Amino acid sequence: MAENKNQHFVPRVHLSPFSVCAEGKAIHLFNLDRNQSFFDAPVKNQCSRDYFYGQDPRLETAIQTVEGHYGDCVSSLLKPRAVIKDLHATILRRFAYLQHVRTEAAARRSAEFAFAATSVKGADFEQPSFKEAVKSAVISAMHHYAKTMSVVDDLKVRVVRNLTSVPLLTSDDPAALANRWHQQHRHAQHRSFGISSAGALLFLPLSPTLLAVLLDGDVYQAEHVGGWIDVSNTADILACNHQQVLNCAANLYFGERSSGDDVQAIAISVAHLRPPSRFDVVMAVADGRTETHTHYAVVDAPDAREHDDVLIHVRTVRPVPPTWPSFLKFRNNRFVFTNDTGAGFRRRRTATSSLWGSPPWRKVRG
């Protein structure tokens, strides 16, 4: 059995630099649902659930190992004249990806998918309770992470040094996946994107003064010195904070009580861009056949339950930020990969398929 009953889906080692005096004891938060700030909340009670990862001690130990390396990495980068080493980049990639897949918000999104798949007539498995679906999604995510952690190894790692008076914020879902290329390219903007997609970005705040940005180097470029990007433009820091507001489940975290009104203003400025649902579920039923094809017609969910032959398409809905940081630019000679299927546009490393007979991937200018 796991040693710790209270398990954090955003670890205390991540929240600590954002806590009051960076002591890791108390932290201020702004709750978007209540539109209210709460001060001096115990860090130990934030972003945690009883046995969130189940009761497998091996899984708990593996997670704690990743978190320990991350804590050492951030401490090192916060030192004066710090150098970003290859090991730092690897740790930040792995931790950012782990955070992306393991939060309660991520589990709830997966649970919504499970409910869509089990809500039609003839589903050969019993519909779980929402709590059971979330728990199952967490365990599945951890196993998926163990098998696919190298999917982010090609992403370039840059660390922003915040030289403005506006602190960087973190949240209850801090590794924000975004994709400027995908949302602005005319052939891609109506598709969903994921961690394997061309143009992938991950924004992970490390402290009020540091932010890790993981980017697809075939699509973007960001001027840097040894991996560092010094940012003195307040608008750029606000654009990074918007990623936290748009991605979080409910709470933003900060360490200075005097920042409460500013955090509220930041949240309100983009709250209307948060999608009401993170999934679009489209159901279609068979309404005609030929010798070689079956034709499906889109119907409302209640009507689909009366049919035996149903297709379910679930598309992730991603928020579109109002602005992007000016230090993040498109490459003039950017390129992506496609095989003209529903797999979408991929990066060089992820342009693979395990399906027999899958069309070959080809490089295209983006």
Side-chain angles (χ1 to χ4, degrees):
M1 180 178 291
E3 292 184 6
N4 298 312
K5 179 181 179 181
N6 186 41
Q7 298 174 338
H8 288 254
F9 51 85
V10 178
R12 295 175 67 175
V13 72
H14 172 78
L15 295 175
S16 183
F18 299 89
S19 64
V20 178
C21 299
E23 293 178 346
K25 296 178 181 179
I27 197 166
H28 310 314
L29 67 92
F30 178 80
N31 181 269
L32 275 76
D33 295 330
R34 299 184 183 182
N35 192 28
Q36 183 178 355
S37 293
F38 297 87
F39 299 104
D40 298 313
V43 171
K44 65 180 181 180
N45 294 339
Q46 304 306 309
C47 306
S48 66
R49 295 288 183 271
D50 287 350
Y51 295 119
F52 186 73
Y53 305 110
Q55 301 185 38
D56 185 345
R58 295 171 299 177
L59 178 57
E60 183 181 45
T61 299
I63 292 171
Q64 289 175 344
T65 299
V66 176
E67 293 173 357
H69 290 318
Y70 169 78
D72 293 341
C73 173
V74 173
S75 295
S76 176
L77 294 178
L78 284 169
K79 294 178 180 178
R81 296 181 294 280
V83 176
I84 302 175
K85 301 178 181 178
D86 289 343
L87 180 59
H88 293 142
T90 298
I91 291 170
L92 291 175
R93 290 188 193 100
R94 298 295 172 85
F95 181 82
Y97 182 36
L98 174 62
Q99 272 308 129
H100 169 62
V101 302
R102 74 161 170 174
T103 61
E104 185 176 49
R108 286 179 174 272
R109 290 193 287 268
S110 296
E112 289 180 30
F113 180 90
F115 268 76
T118 58
S119 62
V120 298
K121 179 182 177 181
D124 58 0
F125 40 88
E126 182 179 354
Q127 185 168 4
S129 68
F130 192 74
K131 182 177 180 180
E132 291 170 339
V134 170
K135 180 72 73 174
S136 176
V138 171
I139 303 303
S140 296
M142 292 299 92
H143 288 294
H144 180 71
Y145 170 78
K147 294 178 181 178
T148 63
M149 63 176 68
S150 63
V151 72
V152 294
D153 284 357
D154 62 315
L155 297 179
K156 303 294 184 183
V157 176
R158 304 290 179 252
V159 180
V160 168
R161 272 191 291 233
N162 177 12
L163 305 181
T164 77
S165 60
V166 176
L168 289 160
L169 308 177
T170 193
S171 72
D172 52 14
D173 197 358
L177 176 66
N179 198 317
R180 182 179 182 180
W181 178 86
H182 210 280
Q183 293 177 328
Q184 294 183 351
H185 194 280
R186 62 189 179 90
H187 294 306
Q189 59 188 203
H190 298 299
R191 296 172 177 261
S192 60
F193 62 83
I195 196 69
S196 299
S197 298
L201 294 163
L202 275 169
F203 293 88
L204 177 69
L206 309 180
S207 78
T209 59
L210 296 183
L211 168 82
V213 181
L214 283 60
L215 58 95
D216 178 357
D218 291 331
V219 171
Y220 309 107
Q221 60 184 357
E223 291 187 12
H224 65 96
V225 177
W228 292 101
I229 303 174
D230 288 341
V231 174
S232 55
N233 184 350
T234 299
D236 286 340
I237 299 303
L238 289 175
C240 295
N241 281 337
H242 290 161
Q243 293 291 335
Q244 293 300 305
V245 179
L246 297 177
N247 190 66
C248 76
N251 293 330
L252 301 170
Y253 293 101
F254 56 102
E256 294 290 338
R257 179 183 286 262
S258 60
S259 298
D261 289 344
D262 292 334
V263 173
Q264 182 177 28
I266 292 170
I268 291 175
S269 70
V270 295
H272 65 286
L273 299 177
R274 286 168 54 87
S277 173
R278 294 301 176 119
F279 282 107
D280 276 341
V281 180
V282 178
M283 295 188 179
V285 300
D287 72 343
R289 288 182 171 84
T290 67
E291 292 184 0
T292 57
H293 295 82
T294 300
H295 181 267
Y296 289 83
V298 175
V299 298
D300 293 333
D303 297 330
R305 297 189 183 98
E306 304 303 319
H307 293 263
D308 293 319
D309 192 350
V310 180
L311 285 179
I312 302 174
H313 178 256
V314 183
R315 184 178 72 90
T316 304
V317 178
R318 305 284 187 185
V320 180
T323 58
W324 295 91
S326 64
F327 58 78
L328 186 68
K329 304 181 184 302
F330 286 120
R331 298 185 67 91
N332 291 330
N333 58 342
R334 56 188 176 272
F335 59 86
V336 301
F337 289 81
T338 181
N339 64 354
D340 301 309
T341 71
F345 297 93
R346 299 281 188 90
R347 303 192 303 278
R348 186 198 322 247
R349 183 182 184 87
T350 61
T352 59
S353 176
S354 59
L355 298 177
W356 182 84
S358 176
W361 292 87
R362 57 190 177 85
K363 178 179 175 180
V364 296
R365 294 294 179 186

